[in-house]
Amino acid sequence: MPQPLDLLIVPRWIIPVVPAGVVLEEHALAVHEGRIVALLPVAHCEDLQVRERCERPDHLLIPGLVNAHGHAAMTLLRGLADDLPLMTWLEQHIWPAERRHVNADFVATGTRLAIAEMLRGGTTCFADMYFYPAIAAQTAIDCGIRAQIAFPLLDHPIPGVPDCASGLQQGLQLHDELRHQSLVSLAFGPHAPYTVSDDNLLRIRTLADEVDLPIHMHVHESADEIAGSLQQYGERPLQRLQRLGLLGPRLQAVHMTQVDDSDLALLSRHDVQVVHCPQSNLKLASGFCPVQRLLQAGVNVALGTDGAASNNDLDLLDELRTAALLAKAVSGEPTALQAHKALHMATLAGACALGLEQQTGSLEPGKQADLTLIDLGDPLLQPVYDPLSHLLYSSNSRQVSDVWVAGRRRLSNGQLATDLLPADIHQQVANWAARIKKEDQPDES
């Protein structure tokens, strides 16, 4: 082990996620040059030379959380159109607002705001699917957070892209430009089966195979989507994607609230990645992802918040509690999605879904030091019988104290690093809110 080490973290508990079910006490984690180099008993640390020693006697150390689906810049649309069905919400409110307002500055401001929120909540890696992906990617790089950026692809014009062909061209060019970036990777982002034609989906599949990039897509989000596909194509969306050759380990199928036995067999047979977004699904009454059945069938299930316009926050710890409770209610089994499996969903399963399991998702030597410390000494959390149970059922983002991404501290004692938010960020957000409110929430008095 090199000495001096860059960082030694000494918490009360460590949950490394791998091996499964392990909770360590009286252990420390050593970091050097951005990577984890050792997990070792505190008694073996006395003679270690370290540049920084972080003592947190009441804290739990876990891998940084992985938010496997969202639309980061939609923080600027938070609360714009609530309590509506999915397609009403999209077609009558969100899509018109995006056509009026979304530009490069909107995405830069909204994405930076989202990153700040996620880091304060312990998220060190996120999957984004929104317009102006080059801006989102650069913002993630500037903020020092890990991200998968999916460049959006639809049959109709979207902000910054006149058609699907142009979106593909821009996305592949961005892939070339970011090829050597360590924190940001790219994915193809066809919006959903109902917004992308067979021809375009075939083109996306061919290109994804050529450049070995994942495909991030809303799939089986609502019953209306299934009914529309049956009417138009005579098959369920997942069957259509199979016919077009899109099912496979690189497909990140977001939502999957409508799953019958044939769907379950396809997901399992083709090793499709599923991303569960329970709170937005509940809010939009889209349905329930059968998480326990998926896990029992061997399907990898990750966790996402979705965008702040449909959630309305990016608190992955809160999302995790909802996922665990919902899994029990939907399956009728109080033992469904137990605490260790739930944390796995929000960490290593997310990393696996994004193809980043060799870099992040667990506290193993050699992996990037993406780390989150949570203060379980909060009086509202006492007593602590089981730190993992407390993490799942009692804590939230307010107890997150410290966060590192690739060994670089992004949150310290609850305070964001000074380079994350410009001094005028509140004014920037307020300016956007005033414009959006004036045009999209007219005074009806």
Side-chain angles (χ1 to χ4, degrees), residues 53-71:
R53 187 182 179 102
C54 179
E55 299 268 1
R56 293 288 187 266
D58 296 317
H59 288 56
L60 167 65
L61 178 66
I62 63 172
L65 301 173
V66 179
N67 186 347
H69 175 68
H71 314 284

Side-chain angles (χ1 to χ4, degrees), residues 257 276-282 287-292 319-333 336-337 393:
T257 68
H276 179 34
C277 303
Q279 291 187 359
S280 72
N281 292 338
L282 286 168
F288 308 108
C289 178
V291 171
Q292 186 68 2
E319 199 81 29
L320 182 59
R321 177 166 57 251
T322 301
L325 297 176
L326 191 60
K328 299 173 190 302
V330 169
S331 67
E333 301 176 19
L337 200 58
Y393 297 116

Side-chain angles (χ1 to χ4, degrees), residues 10-273:
V10 187
R12 171 72 182 277
W13 304 277
I14 298 176
I15 300 179
V17 173
V18 174
V22 170
V23 178
L24 299 173
E25 293 192 62
E26 299 296 323
H27 276 68
L29 183 138
V31 176
H32 192 68
E33 294 182 348
R35 293 187 179 274
I36 299 167
V37 294
L39 271 167
L40 66 168
V42 172
H44 297 172
C45 298
E46 295 179 359
D47 297 328
L48 289 179
Q49 299 178 35
V50 297
R51 295 186 176 89
E52 179 186 0
R53 187 182 179 102
C54 179
E55 299 268 1
R56 293 288 187 266
D58 296 317
H59 288 56
L60 167 65
L61 178 66
I62 63 172
L65 301 173
V66 179
N67 186 347
H69 175 68
H71 314 284
M74 291 184 84
T75 50
L76 295 182
L77 300 177
R78 194 195 317 261
L80 177 66
D82 288 334
D83 303 324
L84 295 169
L86 173 63
M87 295 316 297
T88 303
W89 177 76
L90 280 174
E91 294 175 349
Q92 298 181 25
H93 297 273
I94 297 301
W95 286 346
E98 288 175 333
R99 285 192 293 268
R100 282 190 286 268
H101 301 294
V102 173
N103 58 26
D105 181 64
F106 179 104
V107 171
T109 301
T111 302
R112 189 172 286 271
L113 184 65
I115 289 171
E117 180 179 353
M118 286 188 281
L119 285 169
R120 287 191 60 173
T123 293
T124 59
C125 176
F126 72 102
D128 189 42
M129 184 192 202
Y130 207 59
F131 312 116
Y132 294 94
I135 300 295
Q138 188 58 54
T139 304
I141 293 167
D142 293 343
C143 291
I145 188 171
R146 201 175 304 281
Q148 175 194 271
I149 307 296
F151 45 93
L153 300 163
L154 290 86
D155 286 348
H156 58 74
I158 58 176
V161 180
D163 51 41
C164 188
S166 298
L168 285 168
Q169 181 181 7
Q170 290 183 22
L172 292 173
Q173 180 179 343
L174 183 60
H175 171 58
D176 287 339
E177 294 172 358
L178 299 179
R179 187 181 299 275
H180 302 295
Q181 276 292 336
S182 61
L183 289 179
V184 173
S185 59
L186 290 189
F188 290 83
H191 170 260
Y194 59 87
T195 55
V196 187
S197 67
D198 280 8
D199 287 345
N200 281 329
L201 286 174
L202 286 169
R203 180 65 173 152
I204 290 166
R205 186 210 69 194
T206 299
L207 291 171
D209 289 343
E210 288 178 1
V211 296
D212 193 24
L213 287 183
I215 298 173
H216 191 88
M217 189 180 196
H218 303 98
V219 184
H220 286 221
E221 186 171 1
S222 69
D224 286 345
E225 177 189 338
I226 308 299
S229 181
L230 288 170
Q231 182 177 9
Q232 183 174 0
Y233 300 101
E235 55 191 350
R236 295 168 70 83
L238 211 60
Q239 293 170 327
R240 178 171 163 237
L241 295 179
Q242 180 195 31
R243 170 171 57 82
L244 298 172
L246 271 77
L247 298 191
R250 285 205 303 264
L251 178 62
Q252 301 161 7
V254 181
H255 295 299
M256 292 304 305
T257 68
Q258 315 293 317
V259 179
D260 66 12
D261 289 344
S262 66
D263 300 324
L264 187 63
L266 285 175
L267 293 169
S268 177
R269 186 186 318 142
H270 293 279
D271 294 324
V272 174
Q273 314 294 330

